Amino acid sequence: MTMKKFLSLAICAIMMAVGSASAQSQSNQNTPNNQGKQNRQQRMSREQLAEAQAKHIAHDLALDDATSQKLVKTFCDYQKEMWALNQKGRMKKTDMTEAEAEQAIKDRFEQSQKLLSLREKYYKEYSKFLTQKQIQRVYDMEKQTMHRLGQRGQRGQMGQRGQMGKRPQMGKRPQPGQRPQGSPQNRPRQ
């Protein structure tokens, strides 16, 4: 084999290796796992989500542009204040003394009172530019959205079949060194 042929083959081999590596990396970028990572990176912030929700509500209520802008601003301000109130951490209920439990209950009462005051404050704000039926619709749509988001969060914690975890199987326990009944090695071949 001459040196010229050897160099040609070496260059071809290198080009094929580089080409297949780049093709492999491109195909890996489109796998479902990587798409999930891309979606997480592109996930909306809380502020963006609140704004989108407010715009959806404004569209549903068929508001004019000026009223829509007021609703979006007021709704987003309300959400920000709600988030600030809900930032407070919670103690584990099992590790509390009697005094800590009493304080936790009083803290929850105080938290509830602050939330109620905040709701009343923004009810008065909404009343300046929305009818009472429109305000009720805003509350209903907000509640529906929170319910949907809660369901999504629960689904994210569940397994593929919608179960929180595997149920224990009834029947005999395998002896030490024996495989469980459902394992692939103990199934009859077809």
Side-chain angles (χ1 to χ4, degrees):
M1 193 181 231
T2 65
M3 187 63 143
K4 198 174 191 182
K5 281 186 180 181
F6 178 75
L7 283 175
S8 315
L9 285 173
I11 291 173
C12 284
I14 291 171
M15 289 176 59
M16 288 177 63
V18 169
S20 68
S22 69
Q24 179 66 31
S25 70
Q26 285 178 353
S27 69
N28 281 345
Q29 289 176 354
N30 293 327
T31 62
N33 289 340
N34 286 336
Q35 287 175 353
K37 289 177 188 174
Q38 290 170 355
N39 287 343
R40 271 179 263 158
Q41 290 171 354
Q42 295 173 357
R43 189 173 286 167
M44 296 173 94
S45 70
R46 276 204 240 182
E47 290 80 10
Q48 291 170 326
L49 185 62
E51 186 175 342
Q53 184 181 1
K55 287 178 179 178
H56 174 73
I57 292 169
H59 176 75
D60 185 73
L61 293 174
L63 301 175
D64 60 55
D65 290 341
T67 309
S68 291
Q69 287 176 353
K70 288 178 189 175
L71 175 69
V72 170
K73 183 187 178 329
T74 306
F75 186 85
C76 290
D77 291 346
Y78 168 68
Q79 290 295 319
K80 287 176 188 173
E81 287 191 47
M82 288 288 281
W83 298 328
L85 275 178
N86 288 325
Q87 291 296 326
K88 200 172 188 181
R90 299 173 194 244
M91 288 184 72
K92 291 184 179 178
K93 295 177 184 176
T94 57
D95 298 340
M96 290 186 189
T97 64
E98 281 294 314
E100 290 171 335
E102 179 182 12
Q103 187 59 47
I105 291 169
K106 288 179 180 179
D107 288 347
R108 271 187 261 146
F109 288 151
E110 185 181 339
Q111 179 80 1
S112 295
Q113 194 62 46
K114 287 178 182 177
L115 289 172
L116 180 59
S117 296
L118 185 64
R119 287 186 180 118
E120 288 175 344
K121 172 186 170 184
Y122 279 94
Y123 165 74
K124 290 175 184 172
E125 288 296 315
Y126 287 140
S127 295
K128 292 176 183 177
F129 57 90
L130 296 175
T131 68
Q132 296 304 300
K133 286 184 177 182
Q134 288 173 326
I135 295 171
Q136 185 62 48
R137 185 72 182 135
V138 169
Y139 291 154
D140 291 344
M141 291 183 75
E142 180 187 9
K143 185 176 180 180
Q144 289 171 358
T145 301
M146 295 309 292
H147 180 71
R148 266 189 258 125
L149 290 174
Q151 285 180 332
R152 281 187 192 160
Q154 288 175 353
R155 269 191 244 132
Q157 295 170 357
M158 292 184 184
Q160 288 180 347
R161 294 185 183 148
Q163 298 172 346
M164 291 298 278
K166 288 186 177 180
R167 289 183 174 179
Q169 292 183 352
M170 302 300 284
K172 294 182 182 178
R173 290 186 177 191
Q175 296 297 321
Q178 207 178 19
R179 296 201 182 267
Q181 261 186 326
S183 71
Q185 288 82 5
N186 291 339
R187 290 190 189 134
R189 294 185 184 211
Q190 296 176 343

